[in-house]
Amino acid sequence: QVQLVESGGDSVQIGGSLRLSCLVSANAYSMCLMGWFRQHPGKEREGVAAVYTDTGSTYYADSVKGRFTISQDSAKNTLYLEMNSLKPEDTATYYCATQGPYTCGGQWSVTTEYDYWGQGTQVTVSS
């Protein structure tokens, strides 16, 4: 069983920065595709960024390109999302997700491509 635990959510001012972390359980196999999603109240969960850990290829939603950076530290079993120049529309609950072992590929921004999810961490951006 793979477990993911997010941390780092907070309330920040417009233009501020945050770094979200996602700790993957120590007994997890190396996951090929890992991603960050967010969900605004009353809306569907949307893909924010993803990384293929075997190639290092990264993908971003247009709304966060140039502001957010996804990265991973395999030694620490941790996925990160560095968020800069935060805007009020970035306010949401952020989730990390991974595909299961022996799975690699698919559409990075589609929730059904992922097998395991964290519980979410709240990010609030205000003036």
Side-chain angles (χ1 to χ4, degrees):
Q1 181 69 17
V2 177
Q3 293 182 327
L4 294 82
V5 180
E6 302 100 334
S7 61
D10 205 346
S11 295
V12 296
Q13 291 187 329
I14 296 172
S17 299
L18 282 175
R19 188 176 78 160
L20 305 183
S21 300
C22 175
L23 178 63
V24 183
S25 57
N27 62 350
Y29 293 95
S30 177
M31 303 303 174
C32 182
L33 178 63
M34 303 183 72
W36 286 97
F37 288 73
R38 67 186 181 187
Q39 189 166 19
H40 299 96
K43 296 190 176 181
E44 293 187 354
R45 200 167 293 187
E46 62 179 11
V48 174
V51 57
Y52 276 96
T53 61
D54 55 346
T55 63
S57 297
T58 56
Y59 302 86
Y60 296 92
D62 288 342
S63 59
V64 306
K65 280 181 182 176
R67 301 188 298 121
F68 290 13
T69 303
I70 188 171
S71 63
Q72 55 151 351
D73 185 333
S74 298
K76 296 182 179 180
N77 285 344
T78 302
L79 181 72
Y80 300 102
L81 184 68
E82 186 77 35
M83 304 187 295
N84 298 311
S85 302
L86 285 163
K87 304 176 181 180
E89 51 263 42
D90 295 319
T91 295
T93 302
Y94 285 72
Y95 300 88
C96 65
T98 75
Q99 289 185 328
Y102 317 120
T103 303
C104 188
Q107 299 180 51
W108 73 267
S109 61
V110 175
T111 57
T112 53
E113 296 285 359
Y114 295 81
D115 302 294
Y116 300 99
W117 293 82
Q119 83 289 348
T121 187
Q122 179 66 36
V123 172
T124 303
V125 184
S126 59
S127 57

